[in-house]
mmCIF file of all heavy atoms in Angstrom:
data_model
loop_
_atom_site.group_PDB
_atom_site.id
_atom_site.type_symbol
_atom_site.label_atom_id
_atom_site.label_comp_id
_atom_site.label_asym_id
_atom_site.label_seq_id
_atom_site.Cartn_x
_atom_site.Cartn_y
_atom_site.Cartn_z
ATOM 1 N N ASP A 329 14.282 11.935 25.646
ATOM 2 C CA ASP A 329 13.115 12.793 25.865
ATOM 3 C C ASP A 329 13.156 13.431 27.259
ATOM 4 O O ASP A 329 13.188 12.738 28.275
ATOM 5 C CB ASP A 329 11.834 11.965 25.709
ATOM 6 C CG ASP A 329 10.605 12.827 25.485
ATOM 7 O OD1 ASP A 329 10.638 14.019 25.837
ATOM 8 O OD2 ASP A 329 9.610 12.301 24.950
ATOM 9 N N MET A 330 13.141 14.759 27.287
ATOM 10 C CA MET A 330 13.160 15.498 28.556
ATOM 11 C C MET A 330 11.798 16.092 28.912
ATOM 12 O O MET A 330 11.665 16.780 29.919
ATOM 13 C CB MET A 330 14.183 16.638 28.461
ATOM 14 C CG MET A 330 15.627 16.185 28.525
ATOM 15 S SD MET A 330 16.071 15.500 30.139
ATOM 16 C CE MET A 330 15.729 16.894 31.226
ATOM 17 N N ARG A 331 10.785 15.816 28.109
ATOM 18 C CA ARG A 331 9.482 16.430 28.353
ATOM 19 C C ARG A 331 8.896 15.989 29.692
ATOM 20 O O ARG A 331 8.705 14.805 29.945
ATOM 21 C CB ARG A 331 8.520 16.106 27.209
ATOM 22 C CG ARG A 331 8.812 16.896 25.943
ATOM 23 C CD ARG A 331 7.949 16.464 24.783
ATOM 24 N NE ARG A 331 8.357 15.167 24.254
ATOM 25 C CZ ARG A 331 7.825 14.613 23.161
ATOM 26 N NH1 ARG A 331 6.870 15.240 22.500
ATOM 27 N NH2 ARG A 331 8.261 13.433 22.736
ATOM 28 N N ASP A 332 8.628 16.962 30.556
ATOM 29 C CA ASP A 332 8.052 16.720 31.886
ATOM 30 C C ASP A 332 8.852 15.716 32.706
ATOM 31 O O ASP A 332 8.303 15.003 33.550
ATOM 32 C CB ASP A 332 6.599 16.251 31.774
ATOM 33 C CG ASP A 332 5.647 17.402 31.519
ATOM 34 O OD1 ASP A 332 5.574 18.312 32.366
ATOM 35 O OD2 ASP A 332 4.981 17.411 30.468
ATOM 36 N N ALA A 333 10.153 15.645 32.473
ATOM 37 C CA ALA A 333 11.000 14.724 33.231
ATOM 38 C C ALA A 333 11.042 15.130 34.701
ATOM 39 O O ALA A 333 11.146 16.319 35.016
ATOM 40 C CB ALA A 333 12.410 14.714 32.656
ATOM 41 N N PRO A 334 10.959 14.167 35.628
ATOM 42 C CA PRO A 334 11.061 14.503 37.051
ATOM 43 C C PRO A 334 12.328 15.263 37.403
ATOM 44 O O PRO A 334 12.336 16.071 38.323
ATOM 45 C CB PRO A 334 11.024 13.124 37.732
ATOM 46 C CG PRO A 334 10.236 12.268 36.793
ATOM 47 C CD PRO A 334 10.626 12.746 35.417
ATOM 48 N N SER A 335 13.410 15.020 36.660
ATOM 49 C CA SER A 335 14.680 15.694 36.959
ATOM 50 C C SER A 335 14.547 17.210 36.917
ATOM 51 O O SER A 335 15.233 17.914 37.671
ATOM 52 C CB SER A 335 15.768 15.250 35.967
ATOM 53 O OG SER A 335 15.419 15.627 34.637
ATOM 54 N N LEU A 336 13.669 17.727 36.066
ATOM 55 C CA LEU A 336 13.513 19.182 35.944
ATOM 56 C C LEU A 336 13.024 19.788 37.256
ATOM 57 O O LEU A 336 13.551 20.799 37.725
ATOM 58 C CB LEU A 336 12.550 19.518 34.800
ATOM 59 C CG LEU A 336 12.961 19.049 33.401
ATOM 60 C CD1 LEU A 336 11.859 19.322 32.392
ATOM 61 C CD2 LEU A 336 14.261 19.714 32.968
ATOM 62 N N SER A 337 12.005 19.167 37.847
ATOM 63 C CA SER A 337 11.469 19.677 39.118
ATOM 64 C C SER A 337 12.431 19.430 40.270
ATOM 65 O O SER A 337 12.568 20.260 41.174
ATOM 66 C CB SER A 337 10.119 19.009 39.420
ATOM 67 O OG SER A 337 9.158 19.358 38.451
ATOM 68 N N ILE A 338 13.110 18.280 40.236
ATOM 69 C CA ILE A 338 14.057 17.962 41.305
ATOM 70 C C ILE A 338 15.206 18.961 41.305
ATOM 71 O O ILE A 338 15.592 19.494 42.356
ATOM 72 C CB ILE A 338 14.577 16.518 41.135
ATOM 73 C CG1 ILE A 338 13.429 15.518 41.337
ATOM 74 C CG2 ILE A 338 15.718 16.237 42.113
ATOM 75 C CD1 ILE A 338 13.780 14.092 40.949
ATOM 76 N N ILE A 339 15.748 19.243 40.130
ATOM 77 C CA ILE A 339 16.856 20.201 40.035
ATOM 78 C C ILE A 339 16.409 21.593 40.454
ATOM 79 O O ILE A 339 17.110 22.294 41.193
ATOM 80 C CB ILE A 339 17.433 20.212 38.608
ATOM 81 C CG1 ILE A 339 18.194 18.909 38.354
ATOM 82 C CG2 ILE A 339 18.348 21.409 38.381
ATOM 83 C CD1 ILE A 339 18.645 18.722 36.926
ATOM 84 N N ALA A 340 15.211 22.003 40.021
ATOM 85 C CA ALA A 340 14.704 23.320 40.415
ATOM 86 C C ALA A 340 14.581 23.424 41.930
ATOM 87 O O ALA A 340 14.963 24.440 42.536
ATOM 88 C CB ALA A 340 13.359 23.584 39.749
ATOM 89 N N GLY A 341 14.058 22.368 42.560
ATOM 90 C CA GLY A 341 13.909 22.383 44.015
ATOM 91 C C GLY A 341 15.236 22.444 44.736
ATOM 92 O O GLY A 341 15.393 23.158 45.727
ATOM 93 N N LEU A 342 16.219 21.699 44.242
ATOM 94 C CA LEU A 342 17.544 21.695 44.866
ATOM 95 C C LEU A 342 18.258 23.027 44.653
ATOM 96 O O LEU A 342 18.921 23.545 45.574
ATOM 97 C CB LEU A 342 18.383 20.546 44.302
ATOM 98 C CG LEU A 342 17.907 19.137 44.667
ATOM 99 C CD1 LEU A 342 18.682 18.085 43.886
ATOM 100 C CD2 LEU A 342 18.050 18.889 46.172
ATOM 101 N N GLN A 343 18.129 23.587 43.473
ATOM 102 C CA GLN A 343 18.751 24.892 43.226
ATOM 103 C C GLN A 343 18.101 25.978 44.079
ATOM 104 O O GLN A 343 18.794 26.860 44.590
ATOM 105 C CB GLN A 343 18.658 25.250 41.743
ATOM 106 C CG GLN A 343 19.589 24.432 40.862
ATOM 107 C CD GLN A 343 19.461 24.776 39.389
ATOM 108 O OE1 GLN A 343 18.380 25.128 38.915
ATOM 109 N NE2 GLN A 343 20.551 24.680 38.643
ATOM 110 N N ASP A 344 16.799 25.911 44.248
ATOM 111 C CA ASP A 344 16.116 26.873 45.117
ATOM 112 C C ASP A 344 16.623 26.783 46.548
ATOM 113 O O ASP A 344 16.613 27.774 47.283
ATOM 114 C CB ASP A 344 14.603 26.644 45.089
ATOM 115 C CG ASP A 344 13.968 27.065 43.768
ATOM 116 O OD1 ASP A 344 14.643 27.762 42.982
ATOM 117 O OD2 ASP A 344 12.802 26.698 43.531
ATOM 118 N N ALA A 345 17.056 25.582 46.943
ATOM 119 C CA ALA A 345 17.579 25.374 48.298
ATOM 120 C C ALA A 345 19.065 25.679 48.401
ATOM 121 O O ALA A 345 19.663 25.478 49.464
ATOM 122 C CB ALA A 345 17.305 23.938 48.745
ATOM 123 N N GLY A 346 19.673 26.135 47.296
ATOM 124 C CA GLY A 346 21.068 26.559 47.353
ATOM 125 C C GLY A 346 22.085 25.538 46.908
ATOM 126 O O GLY A 346 23.297 25.750 47.077
ATOM 127 N N ALA A 347 21.655 24.439 46.294
ATOM 128 C CA ALA A 347 22.607 23.394 45.873
ATOM 129 C C ALA A 347 23.266 23.737 44.543
ATOM 130 O O ALA A 347 22.697 24.438 43.711
ATOM 131 C CB ALA A 347 21.889 22.060 45.768
ATOM 132 N N GLN A 348 24.465 23.216 44.375
ATOM 133 C CA GLN A 348 25.164 23.268 43.095
ATOM 134 C C GLN A 348 24.971 21.910 42.420
ATOM 135 O O GLN A 348 25.257 20.877 43.014
ATOM 136 C CB GLN A 348 26.651 23.544 43.305
ATOM 137 C CG GLN A 348 26.928 24.861 44.017
ATOM 138 C CD GLN A 348 28.376 24.980 44.456
ATOM 139 O OE1 GLN A 348 29.176 24.059 44.275
ATOM 140 N NE2 GLN A 348 28.721 26.114 45.046
ATOM 141 N N ILE A 349 24.494 21.917 41.178
ATOM 142 C CA ILE A 349 24.105 20.673 40.513
ATOM 143 C C ILE A 349 25.097 20.293 39.424
ATOM 144 O O ILE A 349 25.485 21.111 38.588
ATOM 145 C CB ILE A 349 22.703 20.804 39.881
ATOM 146 C CG1 ILE A 349 21.666 21.267 40.920
ATOM 147 C CG2 ILE A 349 22.283 19.488 39.242
ATOM 148 C CD1 ILE A 349 21.451 20.308 42.054
ATOM 149 N N VAL A 350 25.495 19.016 39.442
ATOM 150 C CA VAL A 350 26.248 18.425 38.340
ATOM 151 C C VAL A 350 25.470 17.190 37.911
ATOM 152 O O VAL A 350 24.899 16.480 38.753
ATOM 153 C CB VAL A 350 27.693 18.065 38.761
ATOM 154 C CG1 VAL A 350 27.699 17.096 39.940
ATOM 155 C CG2 VAL A 350 28.464 17.485 37.576
ATOM 156 N N ALA A 351 25.394 16.943 36.603
ATOM 157 C CA ALA A 351 24.548 15.858 36.117
ATOM 158 C C ALA A 351 25.214 15.087 34.997
ATOM 159 O O ALA A 351 26.075 15.597 34.280
ATOM 160 C CB ALA A 351 23.206 16.423 35.635
ATOM 161 N N TYR A 352 24.759 13.847 34.848
ATOM 162 C CA TYR A 352 25.199 13.016 33.724
ATOM 163 C C TYR A 352 24.030 12.170 33.248
ATOM 164 O O TYR A 352 23.281 11.593 34.055
ATOM 165 C CB TYR A 352 26.353 12.091 34.120
ATOM 166 C CG TYR A 352 26.641 11.058 33.049
ATOM 167 C CD1 TYR A 352 27.205 11.442 31.834
ATOM 168 C CD2 TYR A 352 26.295 9.719 33.230
ATOM 169 C CE1 TYR A 352 27.431 10.508 30.829
ATOM 170 C CE2 TYR A 352 26.523 8.778 32.232
ATOM 171 C CZ TYR A 352 27.089 9.183 31.034
ATOM 172 O OH TYR A 352 27.299 8.258 30.034
ATOM 173 N N ASP A 353 23.845 12.111 31.932
ATOM 174 C CA ASP A 353 22.843 11.247 31.325
ATOM 175 C C ASP A 353 23.440 10.695 30.025
ATOM 176 O O ASP A 353 24.044 11.444 29.251
ATOM 177 C CB ASP A 353 21.564 12.029 31.021
ATOM 178 C CG ASP A 353 20.431 11.136 30.556
ATOM 179 O OD1 ASP A 353 20.435 10.699 29.381
ATOM 180 O OD2 ASP A 353 19.527 10.854 31.372
ATOM 181 N N PRO A 354 23.280 9.400 29.771
ATOM 182 C CA PRO A 354 23.894 8.819 28.568
ATOM 183 C C PRO A 354 23.414 9.414 27.249
ATOM 184 O O PRO A 354 24.161 9.432 26.272
ATOM 185 C CB PRO A 354 23.506 7.333 28.671
ATOM 186 C CG PRO A 354 23.309 7.092 30.130
ATOM 187 C CD PRO A 354 22.720 8.359 30.653
ATOM 188 N N GLU A 355 22.167 9.901 27.189
ATOM 189 C CA GLU A 355 21.627 10.402 25.925
ATOM 190 C C GLU A 355 20.954 11.767 26.018
ATOM 191 O O GLU A 355 20.730 12.401 24.989
ATOM 192 C CB GLU A 355 20.598 9.403 25.351
ATOM 193 C CG GLU A 355 21.195 8.084 24.901
ATOM 194 C CD GLU A 355 22.087 8.232 23.670
ATOM 195 O OE1 GLU A 355 21.952 9.223 22.949
ATOM 196 O OE2 GLU A 355 22.929 7.332 23.454
ATOM 197 N N GLY A 356 20.615 12.219 27.214
ATOM 198 C CA GLY A 356 19.736 13.373 27.330
ATOM 199 C C GLY A 356 20.373 14.720 27.594
ATOM 200 O O GLY A 356 19.657 15.720 27.721
ATOM 201 N N MET A 357 21.684 14.806 27.672
ATOM 202 C CA MET A 357 22.291 16.072 28.107
ATOM 203 C C MET A 357 22.103 17.195 27.089
ATOM 204 O O MET A 357 21.892 18.350 27.473
ATOM 205 C CB MET A 357 23.766 15.856 28.453
ATOM 206 C CG MET A 357 23.935 15.022 29.720
ATOM 207 S SD MET A 357 25.608 15.011 30.424
ATOM 208 C CE MET A 357 26.483 14.055 29.190
#
Side-chain angles (χ1 to χ4, degrees):
D329 198 339
M330 286 293 301
R331 285 174 287 186
D332 281 299
S335 63
L336 299 174
S337 296
I338 294 170
I339 289 172
L342 293 171
Q343 288 179 327
D344 289 346
Q348 300 169 357
I349 306 297
V350 58
Y352 169 70
D353 187 283
E355 293 292 339
M357 291 193 290

